[in-house]
């Protein structure tokens, strides 16, 4: 079966659909960062997006693209993270009912946030049941539209609006770093770059523990891995999407990986120097740039800070307790 491949025109249409609903997030710069890395850095701050992550873009676009009849029946999504929250929020804004399938042991704060955004939560047992199967079952029985977190043309097109805005705002870039989980953000960014700024090298960044994207790029086919363990909870997928991989394979320059320690270091940098909270997954691109995993010296470098949803207890623990080794000898002895 042929797989529908979104194109730049779909990104442009998504930009029109989400205009006025999604925030046009700020692009911040930091003189400290520029001096430290000898480059000109541009941070696209999706941690300030509605719902706290870029996933609002794809969610809103996918719901807006449905027929009036489908919107009347409602949507269903599965995720314990940003996608669920953004689907619930984007649905409410469009007067659409959203059912979110969540594990019954999901953190209470996440369940509450999804409900606050107007989502109907349906629980499942993640040790005994398959959430995709439950979602597909509901979709068939109740005529709901299933909106997956990344493997969907309208989701990819919506996520592409973020890189589109960045390029429109800063003009020429040499390199763009993009966090990579299932590939919605990366595939969408590639579509935007291909049309608007062909010369930009786009680098996808995954957690070290879940390098299925890098393996897939090397092998030329989607590689499945066991569920990885990483602090980057928005990117611990087991494989890239079927709609996402062909775009990534054709257009990405490289896929690199960063460690959890490097993510924590980047979180500390944003908190300390730029006074903002970026969630671990949102730091993937920046951590790759900061650690020289792709050359940036003397270049104009964009990076997407993809989200800011992190439990405050987790945030304070990681930024306070895991001081980077580079500063551990600053005092004492
Ligand atoms: C989902 C998510 C990602 C990964 O996006 P994909 O489209 O799955 O590749 C990165 N950062 C954050 C904050 C996310 O929520």
């Amino acid at each position: 079966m042929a797989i529908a491949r979104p194109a730049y025109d779909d990104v442009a249409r998504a930009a029109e659909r989400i205009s006025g609903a999604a925030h046009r997030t700020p692009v911040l710069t930091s003189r400290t960062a520029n001096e430290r890395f000898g480059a000109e850095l541009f941070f696209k701050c999706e941690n300030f997006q509605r719902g706290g992550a870029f996933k609002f873009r794809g969610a809103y676009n996918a719901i807006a693209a449905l027929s009036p009849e489908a919107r009347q029946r409602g949507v269903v999504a599965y995720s314990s993270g940003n996608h669920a929250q953004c689907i619930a929020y984007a649905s409410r804004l469009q007067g659409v009912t959203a059912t979110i399938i969540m594990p019954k042991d999901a953190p209470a704060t996440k369940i509450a946030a999804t409900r606050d955004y107007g989502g109907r939560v349906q629980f499942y047992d993640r040790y005994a049941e398959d959430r995709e199967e439950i979602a597909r079952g509901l979709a068939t029985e109740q005529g709901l539209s299933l909106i997956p977190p990344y493997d969907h043309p309208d989701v990819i097109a919506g996520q592409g609006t973020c890189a589109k805005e960045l390029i429109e705002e800063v003009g020429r870039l040499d390199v763009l770093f993009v966090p990579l989980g299932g590939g919605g953000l990366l595939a969408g960014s590639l579509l935007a770059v291909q049309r608007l700024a062909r010369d930009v090298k786009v680098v996808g960044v995954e957690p070290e523990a879940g390098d299925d994207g890098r393996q897939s790029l090397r092998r030329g086919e989607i590689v499945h891995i066991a569920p990885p363990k990483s602090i980057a909870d928005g990117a611990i997928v087991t494989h890239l999407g079927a709609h996402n991989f062909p775009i990534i394979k054709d257009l990405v320059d490289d896929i690199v990986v960063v460690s959890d320690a490097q993510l924590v270091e980047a979180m500390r940098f944003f908190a300390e120097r730029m006074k903002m909270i970026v969630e671990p997954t949102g730091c993937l691109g920046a951590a790759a740039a900061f650690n020289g995993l792709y050359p940036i010296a003397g270049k104009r470098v964009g990076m997407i800070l993809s989200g800011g949803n992190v439990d405050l207890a987790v945030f304070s623990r990681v930024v306070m307790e895991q001081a980077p080794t580079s500063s551990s000898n600053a005092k004492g002895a």
Side-chain angles (χ1 to χ4, degrees):
M1 195 180 71
I3 281 185
R5 178 160 170 160
Y8 176 74
D9 291 347
D10 299 299
V11 178
R13 201 169 309 130
E16 281 167 27
R17 286 199 192 107
I18 70 169
S19 156
H23 292 318
R24 203 178 169 95
T25 53
V27 178
L28 300 187
T29 56
S30 156
R31 190 178 297 217
T32 310
N34 289 353
E35 280 169 11
R36 188 180 297 181
F37 302 107
E40 241 183 305
L41 307 181
F42 300 93
F43 302 98
K44 176 68 169 165
C45 293
E46 288 296 296
N47 50 323
F48 298 139
Q49 185 51 266
R50 284 181 108 169
F54 74 92
K55 285 211 174 68
F56 183 83
R57 297 170 182 270
Y60 195 95
N61 184 52
I63 295 163
L66 295 171
S67 69
E69 297 75 29
R71 290 158 60 92
Q72 185 69 38
R73 289 190 297 267
V75 301
V76 57
Y78 51 82
S79 146
S80 48
N82 289 335
H83 178 64
Q85 225 159 285
C86 289
I87 284 284
Y89 193 12
S91 296
R92 190 180 66 185
L93 292 172
Q94 298 181 68
V96 170
T97 310
T99 303
I100 311 295
I101 318 285
M102 294 180 100
K104 53 186 178 204
D105 57 350
T109 49
K110 291 227 156 128
I111 298 168
T114 305
R115 284 190 171 137
D116 281 350
Y117 282 133
R120 270 188 209 165
V121 178
Q122 178 157 332
F123 294 108
Y124 77 105
D125 178 350
R126 64 191 172 120
Y127 301 103
E129 296 174 296
D130 176 14
R131 62 184 189 172
E132 293 192 39
E133 220 169 87
I134 295 174
R136 274 195 298 268
L138 275 183
T140 319
E141 287 158 27
Q142 301 179 18
L144 307 181
S145 300
L146 172 60
I147 304 182
Y150 52 85
D151 198 355
H152 189 289
D154 295 321
V155 172
I156 293 170
Q159 318 306 31
T161 60
C162 177
K164 177 176 183 288
E165 287 174 16
L166 173 62
I167 293 161
E168 285 167 355
E169 183 161 339
V170 306
R172 190 179 66 79
L173 281 178
D174 299 306
V175 191
L176 174 64
F177 290 93
V178 182
L180 171 60
L185 185 60
L186 181 57
S189 300
L190 288 164
L191 295 177
V193 164
Q194 188 197 22
R195 173 67 64 90
L196 301 173
R198 226 169 228 290
D199 297 334
V200 182
K201 307 284 188 216
V202 180
V203 180
V205 188
E206 297 180 298
E208 199 167 56
D211 72 335
D212 61 288
R214 184 172 62 170
Q215 290 187 44
S216 302
L217 189 63
R218 284 186 185 153
R219 271 214 234 149
E221 62 185 28
I222 298 173
V223 171
H224 292 243
I225 60 169
K229 270 210 173 69
S230 164
I231 188 177
D233 58 355
I236 47 173
V237 304
T238 57
H239 59 92
L240 297 178
H243 291 88
N244 315 65
F245 181 63
I247 299 170
I248 294 170
K249 185 169 85 133
D250 288 353
L251 300 174
V252 83
D253 203 66
D254 201 2
I255 294 177
V256 300
V257 302
V258 297
S259 68
D260 280 7
Q262 289 169 329
L263 292 174
V264 168
E265 222 178 306
M267 282 172 81
R268 290 173 60 95
F269 177 85
F270 291 123
E272 201 166 37
R273 297 293 176 163
M274 298 180 72
K275 317 303 170 201
M276 60 182 181
I277 294 178
V278 185
E279 65 181 278
T281 316
C283 290
L284 283 166
F290 294 172
N291 287 282
L293 298 176
Y294 191 93
I296 61 166
K299 296 184 171 157
R300 286 170 66 85
V301 181
M303 55 199 81
I304 298 176
L305 306 186
S306 51
N309 294 325
V310 53
D311 192 82
L312 267 189
V314 172
F315 178 79
S316 57
R317 180 166 48 77
V318 300
V319 299
M320 293 311 294
E321 283 178 12
Q322 295 188 10
T325 48
S326 57
S327 64
S328 60
N329 58 359
K331 280 205 192 105

